[in-house]
Amino acid sequence: MEYKRIGENYYVRMDRGDEIIGCLLEICRKESIASAVFSGIGGCQDAELQVFIPETGIFETERLEGMLELVSINGNVVTDDDGQLFHHTHALFSFKKDGQHGMAAGHLKSTKVLYTAEIELRPTIGGAIGRKYDPETGTGFWSFKD
């Protein structure tokens, strides 16, 4: 992974084997970024996607492997009251399986780069977005306590 700050934003190139979410959280820790949004594209070798099923209260997980075109990744990073970073990320992948084109999308738990990923990380300027816990889903949502 390599990144560069230009103005207020960070431009990140990830390389083969880099795990995208881990790299983004690493940059936020290193650069003292408490909250940010990000978007990007790339080529990945695997991905773990989740979808929350309200009727059961659980996340269903799907694992993809092979050449995955990362059509779009969008998400955010926030910090809870204890200073721990959390991400909320959605992604869309296209791929070819059995001679047919397919697509899969959802909440992204993790994905590893096959060739490259190019991501713009935009820190929150003039304040920070926090995280509040939601017991119904077992996850967190934005909090605006400031």
Side-chain angles (χ1 to χ4, degrees):
M1 168 187 66
E2 188 175 348
Y3 67 93
K4 181 176 184 172
R5 182 177 175 176
I6 301 173
E8 297 296 330
N9 299 331
Y10 293 80
Y11 296 87
V12 186
R13 188 203 68 241
M14 295 180 203
D15 303 310
R16 183 185 298 268
D18 287 339
E19 198 286 313
I20 290 177
I21 301 302
C23 287
L24 291 171
L25 294 176
E26 178 184 329
I27 293 168
C28 288
R29 279 189 287 276
K30 183 176 178 182
E31 300 293 332
S32 300
I33 298 169
S35 61
V37 295
F38 58 87
S39 60
I41 57 174
C44 297
Q45 59 185 301
D46 61 42
E48 194 170 347
L49 295 171
Q50 296 179 318
V51 175
F52 182 70
I53 309 300
E55 296 79 20
T56 62
I58 63 168
F59 283 89
E60 289 185 359
T61 301
E62 178 181 8
R63 184 153 180 83
L64 305 172
E65 293 184 350
M67 176 55 211
L68 306 171
E69 198 66 48
L70 178 56
V71 176
S72 177
I73 184 170
N74 293 287
N76 63 69
V77 175
V78 296
T79 306
D80 72 1
D81 291 339
D82 296 327
Q84 185 175 351
L85 291 171
F86 289 87
H87 76 95
H88 185 184
T89 307
H90 289 200
L92 171 65
F93 294 93
S94 67
F95 54 87
K96 206 159 182 193
K97 183 176 180 182
D98 301 324
Q100 300 292 317
H101 288 278
M103 299 191 88
H107 176 81
L108 182 65
K109 188 171 179 184
S110 68
T111 188
K112 195 177 291 182
V113 174
L114 180 59
Y115 297 111
T116 192
E118 299 165 341
I119 298 179
E120 180 185 27
L121 177 68
R122 299 175 300 282
T124 306
I125 306 301
I129 299 168
R131 180 180 189 263
K132 72 175 186 173
Y133 179 75
D134 176 52
E136 182 179 349
T137 62
T139 62
F141 300 124
W142 281 5
S143 173
F144 304 107
K145 287 194 268 184
D146 293 324

